Amino acid sequence: MEKVCGTRRHCIMVIALAVLSSGGTLRAEPGRVLPAGQKPNDRRLGPMKDLNGYFPFSPPATKEAWLARAEQVRRQILVATGLWPMPTKTPANAVIHGRIERDGYTVEKVFLESFPGHFVTGNLYRPTGRTGKLPGVLCPHGHWANGRFYAADEKRHRWDLVEGAERFEVGGRSPLQARCRQLAKMGCVVFHYDMVGYADSVQLDHGPGYRQAMSTPENWGYFSPQAEVRLQSMMGLQTYNSIRALDWFSALPDVDPHRIAVTGASGGGTQTFILCAIDPRPAVAFPAVMVGTAMQGGCTCENACHLRVETGNVEIAALIAPRPLGMTAADDWTKEIMAKGLPELKTVYKFFGVEDRVMAKALVHFPHNYNYVSRAVMYHWMNKHLKLGLEEPVVEDDFKPLSIAEMSVWDAQHPKPKGGDDYERSLLMWITADSERQMQALVPHDAASLAEYRRVVGGALEAMIGRTVPPKGAVRAGRDRFEHSGPYVVGKALLRYEAKGEEIPSITIFPEDTKGDLRRVVIWIDPVGKQGLFNSDAKPREEVCKLLAEGGTAVVGIDLVGQGEFTPDGKPWAKARLLTASGWNRFLGYTLGYNHSLFAQRVHDVLAVIAVIRNENPANCKICLVGAKGAGHWVAAARAIAGSTVDEAVIDTGGFRFAKVTTLDDPDLLPGGAKYLDLPGILALSAPCPMELRGEGDNAPAVVTAAYRAAGRPDNLKIASGAAK
C-alpha cells in the first residue's frame, strides 16, 4: 500500500489537495442557478409518503424482467428485516407438552427458541386417526386482543351471528381457535403461534417505540438509532420467529415439508405474505384482509426501514408466484383488491402459465375480519392446493373451545422466561455479536471471497440506497448560462431527472481555453454544496484552480438535496425530516419504510451527476470523484455503487462512522449503515478501482486493505498520512 508523496504529480494526488482544504466552511454563494428565492422543483421537498398512501403495482412486460425485479424486491425485504444474511440458526430446543384430546384432533403446548433464550410460543393442533406425512399449516394470529387467547366480546359476537359473519356461537366467540381446529379436522397439522408481546410471548412488549432510556451508545434496545443503523426491528424479529417456526414445523415427523401452507389475517396476513415472499418452502399462502394498494400495515411489527420504499404489499405478495396465493378482502383498506391488485397479480401468475393459482374474494359487506365466511373461502383453497381430497363444500362445525389455561404454554413445570428492558438489551447484544462475526467472516482474501463480499455487502448497499447510476438519457442538464471568472468559464445548469421528479443545481468550472478538449471531469462533493468550489470573494478557490491548471479538466459542484439552493439561507439541513402525525416519529420505520433516507437521497444526487457527465462526454474522458471532509461518506457509497463508471476517487471520511449516529433525525442516519462493517465496509466495495483515502489515519481499515489485495490491486489504494484537515 503506497503512501502519498508530496512531490508526486499524479492526477489523483492533485485532487487530494482539494480535499484537504475543503473544511466545509459556508461561504457566500457566487451565483445561483435558479432565480433568488426559488427552490428546485424537486419531489423530495414535497409531502412524504406514509403507510396510508397509494401503492399501485405495475408488473414488468416480460417474465425475465419480473424475475429480475422479484430478486431485487426479495433482497430489499431481507435487508430491511435484518435477515441479509440470515442470522446464525441455533438449536430450537423445542418443548411440546400438555396434550389435550378433542373430537378428531389434539392440542399441545409448544415453545421453541428462535434466538438463544428467545421463545416462540403457540399451540400445535394434530388430527387423530391419520398416519404418514400430513399437510401442515402455520397460523400467525394478527392483532386480536390477547392474540392466540382472543375471545370476542358479547355484543360483537351477537352482531356477527345476526349478520351472518359467524355460523356458531363458539366459533364466533373464538374465531382463531375455530380456524385451527377446523384445519386439523380436515387432516392438517397446525401450528398457531404468537406475535411478539401477545399471549405467551411475554419477554418483550409489542411495539413500545422509541425510549430514551433504551437509546444509548452501548446496550441499546429496539427503536433506537443504534438499532436502526443495524437493521434491528420488531418486524425483523417477528419475521425471523416465523422462519424458525417453519424450520421446526417442517421437520416434525408427521408433517410433509412439501405441503405446508401459511394463513393469517390483518397483522397475521402481513406475516403470511412476508414469510412466503422471502422463503420458498411454503407451498400455499392465504393472507386475509391485508393485501391491497391502500393502507400497508399500521403496526411497528408490520413496518421496517427500507421495506416498502418504491414497492408495496401487492408487489410483495407477487413474490409468492407461482405458488398458490388466495386472499380475502373486506370493507377496509383491501376493498378494491378486485380492481387494484388482483389483475396485476394475475399478470405475474400468467408469466408462469398458472393464472388460476391466484384468487381474491371481496367480502366487502363485512368489516375487517377473519370470520366464518372468510374462513370458508380459505378452507376451499387449502383443500384444493394442499390436495386434501375432501368433498366440497367444507363446512365448519361447532366445537368445545380451549380455555386460556389449556392454551398457555407456561406453568409450574415450564415457568415464564425473564423479560423486560435488560432482557431486550441482551437479545440485541447477541444479535449484534452474531452479525459482527458473520461480517468479519466475509472479509475477502481472494477473488472468490471478494465476489461473495460484493454479493452480500454490495447487495445490501444497493437495497439501502435504492438506486444505481441512472440510465443513459435519464438525467439531462439544462444549460442556463455561462459566466466568465478570470481565465475560467462558469457554467450553471439544472440537472433534471424527470422520471423521479428531481432537480439538482450544478456549477461547472473549466478553463476558457479548453476548446472542447476535455479529458477529465472532477466531481467535487462538499458538505456545503457547490459553494465549496469558491472562496469568500466568489472566485474559484486555489485548490480548484490547481485542478484546472492540469489542462483539459473541468470541476463540477452540485447542491445535494438539503444544501445550497434547496434551503432558504443556503445552510445545509441540520435535521432530516420525519413524519410526525399519529406519533409516527416514535418509530423510524414509519418514515423510512416508505421514503429514502436523506443520506440515500444525497447519494442519488451524486449518481445523477455521474450519469450526466458520463453520457455527455467522450468515453476517454475520466471521471474523478472527490468527497471532501464532511462529504466523504456520501461519496464512498456513490463510488461503491457506480463501480467502474468512476475512474478514480479521493475520499476524506473524517473518521465518520454510522455507529456514532445518536438521533433518529440525524441527516447522516442510514438504516443498516453500521451493520455491514460500517463505512469501511462500503469503502471496500470500491476495490480494485483507484482510490485515495484520507481521514483514517496512517492506515486504511483492515477490510479495505483486504479487499484491494483480494482484487489483486493493492497499489490502487493510496493512503494519505496524517489526520484529515
Side-chain angles (χ1 to χ4, degrees), residues 409-422:
V409 305
W410 309 123
D411 56 27
Q413 290 73 40
H414 310 90
K416 291 180 181 179
K418 292 183 178 180
D421 290 353
D422 288 343

Side-chain angles (χ1 to χ4, degrees), residues 560-612:
L560 307 177
V561 65
Q563 293 180 332
E565 296 186 47
F566 284 96
T567 70
D569 57 3
K571 296 180 179 180
W573 288 345
K575 296 181 178 180
R577 294 194 299 162
L578 297 180
L579 292 168
T580 58
S582 303
W584 285 341
N585 57 344
R586 72 188 182 91
F587 172 40
L588 195 62
Y590 285 142
T591 298
L592 299 189
Y594 301 90
N595 304 275
H596 290 293
S597 66
L598 178 57
F599 181 95
Q601 291 174 339
R602 287 174 168 172
V603 175
H604 296 170
D605 290 339
V606 180
L607 296 172
V609 72
I610 291 171
V612 169

Side-chain angles (χ1 to χ4, degrees), residues 257-393:
H258 304 294
R259 285 197 296 162
I260 292 178
V262 186
T263 183
S266 191
T270 300
Q271 292 176 75
T272 296
F273 67 71
I274 289 291
L275 174 62
C276 295
I278 63 176
D279 196 311
R281 291 175 293 175
V284 182
F286 198 100
V289 292
M290 200 61 237
V291 178
T293 57
M295 198 280 294
Q296 299 292 284
C299 184
T300 58
C301 77
E302 298 174 274
N303 288 275
C305 292
H306 305 304
L307 182 62
R308 296 183 181 89
V309 178
E310 299 186 17
T311 187
N313 287 352
V314 176
E315 184 175 35
I316 293 171
L319 299 179
I320 299 169
R323 293 166 290 165
L325 168 64
M327 299 163 287
T328 52
D331 186 19
D332 57 16
W333 48 88
T334 63
K335 62 186 178 182
E336 295 183 304
I337 187 66
M338 305 307 290
K340 299 178 181 179
L342 183 60
E344 292 78 10
L345 289 167
K346 282 190 172 293
T347 296
V348 171
Y349 274 75
K350 195 172 183 179
F351 290 151
F352 300 92
V354 290
E355 193 175 355
D356 61 332
R357 288 189 185 176
V358 61
M359 175 277 298
K361 184 79 170 179
L363 303 170
V364 296
H365 50 300
F366 295 118
H368 192 61
N369 72 88
Y370 206 170
N371 61 28
Y372 169 72
V373 181
S374 298
R375 297 195 299 272
V377 177
M378 179 267 291
Y379 298 146
H380 168 76
W381 195 250
M382 297 301 182
N383 186 36
K384 178 180 179 180
H385 292 288
L386 289 178
K387 298 178 174 57
L388 303 180
L390 302 175
E391 183 179 352
E392 296 282 357

Side-chain angles (χ1 to χ4, degrees), residues 56-177:
F57 169 43
S58 298
T62 66
K63 179 180 179 180
E64 292 70 26
W66 166 247
L67 291 174
R69 173 62 179 165
E71 188 280 330
Q72 179 184 358
V73 176
R74 187 172 289 111
R75 172 161 37 102
Q76 181 175 331
I77 297 169
L78 288 166
V79 170
T81 52
L83 304 179
W84 178 272
M86 199 64 64
T88 302
K89 291 186 177 181
T90 53
N93 298 323
V95 174
I96 304 174
H97 69 99
R99 180 184 174 101
I100 297 173
E101 299 280 349
R102 285 288 191 266
D103 182 21
Y105 65 99
T106 63
V107 184
E108 295 168 289
K109 307 174 181 186
V110 177
F111 58 92
L112 60 99
E113 296 180 61
S114 55
F115 292 107
H118 184 74
F119 294 97
V120 179
T121 50
N123 292 122
L124 183 66
Y125 292 72
R126 283 176 159 138
T128 56
R130 308 269 181 154
T131 59
K133 294 281 190 177
L134 304 177
V137 183
L138 286 178
C139 285
H141 57 65
H143 293 95
W144 276 265
N146 298 321
R148 186 165 45 89
F149 299 159
Y150 173 74
D153 65 76
E154 182 66 22
K155 185 175 183 179
R156 177 66 264 170
H157 164 58
R158 291 174 65 188
W159 275 114
D160 284 343
L161 292 173
V162 169
E163 294 170 349
E166 292 292 347
R167 185 164 180 257
F168 292 107
E169 181 177 348
V170 172
R173 195 180 298 279
S174 303
L176 303 185
Q177 287 190 55

Side-chain angles (χ1 to χ4, degrees), residues 205-212 214 221-224 228 234 300 424 583 585-588 590 664:
D205 291 335
H206 190 82
Y210 176 83
R211 296 148 293 168
Q212 182 64 44
M214 300 294 282
Y222 284 108
F223 305 99
S224 64
E228 297 294 354
M234 283 288 189
T300 58
E424 182 177 338
N585 57 344
R586 72 188 182 91
F587 172 40
L588 195 62
Y590 285 142
L664 294 176

